[in-house]
C-alpha cells in the first residue's frame, strides 16, 4: 500500500510542474522574454551559411527534376 502511494505521488509531480511552468509562462514579461530569446536563436541559425554539400544535393535534385520534366 505504501509503495502505491509513492508511485501516485511521483506521477502527480510532473503534472504539477507543468501547471506551474504554464502559470509562469502566462505572465506577459516571461512570454516576451521567451519570444525574444527564441527570435534571437532563430535569427542566429537563419544567418548561418548553407553547407556546400547541401547545395550540391539541391542542385542534383533540381537537375533530376528538370530532366524528368523534359521527358
Amino acid at each position: 500500500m505504501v509503495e502505491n502511494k509513492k508511485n501516485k505521488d511521483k506521477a502527480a509531480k510532473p503534472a504539477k510542474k507543468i501547471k506551474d511552468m504554464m502559470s509562469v509562462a502566462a505572465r506577459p514579461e516571461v512570454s516576451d522574454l521567451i519570444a525574444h530569446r527564441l527570435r534571437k536563436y532563430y535569427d542566429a541559425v537563419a544567418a548561418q551559411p548553407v553547407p556546400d554539400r547541401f547545395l550540391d544535393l539541391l542542385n542534383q535534385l533540381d537537375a533530376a527534376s528538370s530532366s524528368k520534366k523534359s521527358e
Side-chain angles (χ1 to χ4, degrees):
M1 284 300 272
V2 174
E3 196 167 318
N4 284 341
K5 183 174 179 353
K6 285 182 182 178
N7 289 340
K8 285 182 184 178
D9 289 344
K10 285 181 183 178
K13 286 182 182 180
K16 183 179 182 322
K17 278 187 174 182
I18 291 171
K19 279 186 179 180
D20 292 345
M21 288 181 354
M22 289 173 66
S23 67
V24 168
R27 296 195 331 236
E29 64 274 10
V30 174
S31 295
D32 290 345
L33 180 62
I34 291 170
H36 175 73
R37 287 188 181 172
L38 284 173
R39 207 172 297 117
K40 190 174 178 180
Y41 178 74
Y42 175 80
D43 289 343
V45 170
Q48 297 284 326
V50 178
D52 291 337
R53 176 72 179 132
F54 189 71
L55 291 173
D56 291 341
L57 290 171
L58 288 174
N59 289 331
Q60 289 174 15
L61 286 171
D62 281 344
S65 177
S66 295
S67 67
K68 283 186 180 181
K69 286 182 182 177
S70 62
E71 289 178 356

